[in-house]
Amino acid sequence: MMIANLVGPSGLRVLILEQLPSLIDYPRGVGMDDECLRVFQSAGLVEKAIPFTFPNQWLDFRTARGRTFAMVKPKGEAFGFPKRNAFIQPLIDRVLLEGLVRYKNVEMRLGYEMTGLSDNGRAVHVTARAIDGEERRFTTSYLVGCDGGRSLTRKLVGIPFEGQTESTRWLVIDIKNDPIGVPSAILVCDPSRPYVTIALPHGIRRLEFMVKPNETEEELCSTEGLKRILSIAMPDPASARIIRSRVYTHHARLAKAFRAGRVLLAGDAAHLMPVWQGQGYNSGIRDANNLSWKLISVLRDGCDPTLLDTYETERREHARAMISLSTLVGRIFSPTSWLLASFRDVVFGILNRIPPVRDYVVQMRFKPMPKYTEGVVVGGVSSGRTRNAVGRLFVQPRVALRNGSVVRLDDAIGYRFAIVAWAADPCIYMNGEARRVWSRLNGTTVVVRSQTELMSDTNDVDPETVLVGDVSGGLKEWFATEDTSVAILRPDRFVAAVCRPQEISRAINALGRAMRMQSEKGVPYCTNADNNCANVG
Ligand SMILES: Cc1cc2nc3c(=O)[nH]c(=O)nc-3n(C[C@H](O)[C@H](O)[C@H](O)COP(=O)(O)OP(=O)(O)OC[C@H]3O[C@@H](n4cnc5c(N)ncnc54)[C@H](O)[C@@H]3O)c2cc1C
């Protein structure tokens, strides 16, 4: 649904087939990160999503005796939002569903189960069974299989799902009118029965208990079973108002490829991870953020379909890193051996006394951030000192507009390519070829100056250039640290290139090549150094 919400404004036709008659209402995702909220912002849905989240939730790891041995409470909003947010997945999924009605070109068919597909190299033919049993056929340029961990799409195109499924199961319970109330997410690392207790928005409490090998789902989810297990976490389980309960198994699996011809995989269909880092949903949204603008570029803007190969190049390794981290955290959190648990408690006790190590955990620096070295990134253009910024997510401070309002930076850009430049408008240095590429990319230019300069009458920028004031100094800090003054951003807000103003043509032409743009005559742009292209990657 996020892909459809991002592609919707392009006018391309999107059809979603969902086998169920309504969206899933199981207890699932509860932790949403800043990157994910930023994608909701790109889709124009963040204000609708925020009421179903609560920001800056602490994550408190406790020993069996209740002593905190690690704490995660990150500060700052570098990407425009708090780093850890509690959320309720079915409510946020509803926001995505409701977002689709904005687009006449997007159609959601509930109660349609995809049963088969064939890719003949020019199109994908899909068969689906409607809820009334009728069989329907659809033809599409590209099919994105977002059909969950058991993905039929993945199986039909023969992509192996490598990794493992853990033997441990977890009972997940959501309760209304929170009987515990503490606003944190607490992981009680008790080897006899590890469990998690998480405060969710709207007074809901999430509890997750490790299931013992001799316990059955039927027994645990019975009224007596639920009362017995809830008594571990609360004094009066009989009065708990249970919304839902369900038993899950944890998987750590990664699809061997994210693309086979005209079929792509996204979300749990491409990667499954244990829930310990709360990254399954977030990773699926990252996939959508990476893939949507590439689909638009290929289908609407005439980029070569090989551009879609960069989706796998850019996303797969990061998904692997998230799976590894989630698996590691699970091992730390849930050993069932007292010996290992005691060893862990001692080690963390020592590490906590070393401020840089403690800070590494508290500020969540262990979270792998995407960094693309291949794909739609252009290195080697800038004569500045550092090229560290290329392939990373750009910061998102608030900026002032000339009408006096203050907005998040991305809102001043829109969902498109952007040149964000400090002080000077680099477009005056652009040669004809670069101008053509930039116009084909439908790019915009944002010039940033200090807020003090914004209201002066000497702001001589091109009328089409957006001039913004750097309210917090965050953009000045970014450009000064990176020793550059121009950042070229992709629609997903990753830095495609950095340069100085007079290097803009080289950077844009190289970007055209990285985008596999075809010229009007069908010849790729910038095939050699004469065309001022820099190396890609
Ligand atoms: C207990 C628990 C806690 C979690 N906590 C977090 C968390 O804190 N943070 C986080 O980021 N993630 C979390 N996750 C993971 C998150 O819920 C999933 O990663 C996310 O829902 C995956 O979304 P998806 O759209 O890829 O797949 P799904 O949500 O599984 O959606 C797939 C959809 O495809 C449909 N479908 C399947 N086959 C077909 C077919 N043949 N035809 C048509 N439709 C089909 C299904 O009905 C389903 O609606 C948690 C998961 C669990 C179970």
Side-chain angles (χ1 to χ4, degrees):
M1 285 191 290
M2 180 56 94
I3 294 175
N5 272 293
L6 290 170
V7 172
S10 71
L12 291 169
R13 287 183 62 204
V14 185
L15 171 67
I16 306 176
L17 301 180
E18 164 56 55
Q19 64 186 2
L20 300 173
S22 58
L23 295 185
I24 294 177
D25 190 33
Y26 311 147
R28 296 203 294 169
V30 288
M32 185 183 270
D33 64 20
D34 47 354
E35 296 171 68
C36 184
L37 275 173
R38 193 173 184 180
V39 183
F40 274 82
Q41 181 192 3
S42 293
L45 293 173
V46 77
E47 300 309 331
K48 300 233 183 269
I50 279 177
F52 304 118
T53 69
F54 90 70
N56 292 314
Q57 186 172 62
W58 295 359
L59 180 59
D60 182 349
F61 290 80
R62 294 190 186 168
T63 64
R65 292 207 183 91
R67 186 175 58 78
T68 295
F69 67 87
M71 183 71 117
V72 177
K73 42 177 180 177
K75 290 200 181 109
E77 298 190 5
F79 301 122
F81 298 94
K83 290 183 184 163
R84 278 185 49 81
N85 307 278
F87 85 112
I88 299 175
Q89 184 173 340
L91 298 182
I92 294 281
D93 285 347
R94 207 176 66 200
V95 169
L96 288 173
L97 179 66
E98 288 168 2
L100 301 177
V101 302
R102 296 173 295 172
Y103 307 111
K104 287 200 173 65
N105 48 313
V106 175
E107 188 186 350
M108 171 91 176
R109 294 205 185 191
L110 292 165
Y112 277 76
E113 181 192 1
M114 195 265 289
T115 51
L117 69 89
S118 72
D119 173 359
N120 65 12
R122 292 183 306 281
V124 186
H125 300 286
V126 173
T127 50
R129 190 170 36 240
I131 213 152
D132 58 9
E134 191 196 342
E135 185 155 293
R136 298 293 309 272
R137 285 170 191 279
F138 304 93
T139 300
T140 176
S141 304
Y142 287 93
L143 171 71
V144 188
C146 309
D147 44 351
R150 296 194 183 128
S151 172
L152 179 65
T153 311
R154 191 186 60 235
K155 289 174 191 150
L156 289 175
V157 294
I159 296 178
F161 208 25
E162 297 171 338
Q164 59 185 30
T165 295
E166 285 179 21
S167 53
T168 46
R169 293 165 301 149
W170 289 77
L171 170 65
V172 179
I173 309 168
D174 282 355
I175 302 175
K176 254 191 235 171
N177 208 21
D178 190 349
I180 295 171
V182 182
S184 310
I186 302 168
L187 282 71
V188 183
C189 306
D190 179 350
S192 58
R193 169 99 72 186
Y195 73 94
V196 190
T197 155
I198 308 171
L200 298 185
H202 307 292
I204 293 174
R205 170 69 42 176
R206 158 68 56 87
L207 287 145
E208 301 183 11
F209 297 92
M210 186 188 264
V211 175
K212 295 187 176 169
N214 58 342
E215 292 170 326
T216 65
E217 178 165 3
E218 197 186 9
E219 177 200 336
L220 280 170
C221 291
S222 67
T223 312
E224 277 316 302
L226 286 170
K227 257 198 256 171
R228 187 168 51 79
I229 205 156
L230 285 176
S231 67
I232 298 172
M234 64 190 67
D236 180 18
S239 65
R241 298 169 65 195
I242 295 172
I243 307 171
R244 348 168 155 89
S245 62
R246 205 177 160 89
V247 171
Y248 290 98
T249 308
H250 289 177
H251 309 268
R253 290 183 182 270
L254 183 64
K256 192 160 187 183
F258 282 17
R259 179 181 181 200
R262 289 180 169 265
V263 178
L264 299 118
L265 299 176
D268 279 13
H271 39 69
L272 274 178
M273 55 197 79
V275 296
W276 303 122
Q277 273 307 293
Q279 278 295 330
Y281 191 91
N282 291 301
S283 298
I285 296 293
R286 272 187 210 103
D287 295 342
N289 194 30
N290 190 288
L291 184 56
S292 300
W293 60 274
K294 292 178 182 171
L295 285 169
I296 297 170
S297 300
V298 169
L299 287 166
R300 189 192 65 184
D301 302 336
C303 290
D304 190 88
T306 53
L307 174 65
L308 298 176
D309 291 336
T310 66
Y311 165 61
E312 176 179 317
T313 313
E314 294 182 349
R315 281 295 309 132
R316 191 164 175 274
E317 278 316 301
H318 185 259
R320 184 201 298 281
M322 278 301 179
I323 293 170
S324 303
L325 177 68
S326 305
T327 307
L328 176 70
V329 172
R331 292 206 178 116
I332 294 171
F333 165 59
S334 58
T336 43
S337 139
W338 280 95
L339 193 64
L340 278 178
S342 309
F343 177 68
R344 171 202 62 206
D345 297 348
V346 171
V347 169
F348 271 88
I350 296 166
L351 293 178
N352 269 329
R353 297 204 183 117
I354 309 170
V357 178
R358 193 181 51 221
D359 246 39
Y360 181 77
V361 176
V362 169
Q363 296 306 330
M364 238 167 91
R365 295 209 183 95
F366 52 84
K367 179 185 158 193
M369 289 302 291
K371 161 80 172 129
Y372 307 139
T373 51
E374 290 175 70
V376 186
V377 285
V378 177
V381 178
S382 179
S383 53
R385 261 193 327 229
T386 169
R387 288 183 303 167
N388 195 33
V390 174
R392 291 188 194 275
L393 191 59
F394 194 61
V395 289
Q396 185 181 208
R398 289 186 189 250
V399 292
L401 304 179
R402 282 171 119 171
N403 65 11
S405 58
V406 172
V407 299
R408 293 186 183 96
L409 173 66
D410 296 355
D411 292 333
I413 295 175
Y415 185 59
R416 60 204 302 202
F417 280 93
I419 293 169
V420 179
W422 181 260
D425 187 345
C427 296
I428 59 161
Y429 295 108
M430 248 194 223
N431 65 23
E433 185 67 357
R435 278 181 197 280
R436 275 192 291 281
V437 172
W438 194 235
S439 144
R440 287 270 304 278
L441 288 172
N442 187 29
T444 187
T445 303
V446 176
V447 168
V448 191
R449 292 184 180 157
S450 67
Q451 199 179 358
T452 47
E453 296 163 73
L454 199 62
M455 294 307 157
S456 95
D457 52 10
T458 56
N459 284 314
D460 50 346
V461 292
D462 191 283
E464 291 196 359
T465 296
V466 182
L467 182 69
V468 299
D470 185 21
V471 177
S472 63
L475 286 165
K476 183 202 67 190
E477 189 180 325
W478 190 91
F479 283 112
T481 308
E482 298 299 337
D483 191 34
T484 192
S485 60
V486 181
I488 302 175
L489 307 188
R490 317 183 323 179
D492 60 6
R493 321 302 179 191
F494 278 78
V495 179
V498 293
C499 62
R500 302 277 175 88
Q502 291 172 330
E503 294 157 344
I504 190 74
S505 296
R506 278 186 73 208
I508 295 289
N509 286 332
L511 177 61
R513 192 171 62 170
M515 284 291 293
R516 282 76 164 161
M517 285 181 73
Q518 307 284 322
S519 73
E520 274 81 4
K521 294 178 199 127
V523 183
Y525 271 110
C526 310
T527 47
N528 58 48
D530 296 343
N531 284 336
N532 262 347
C533 285
N535 289 333
V536 175

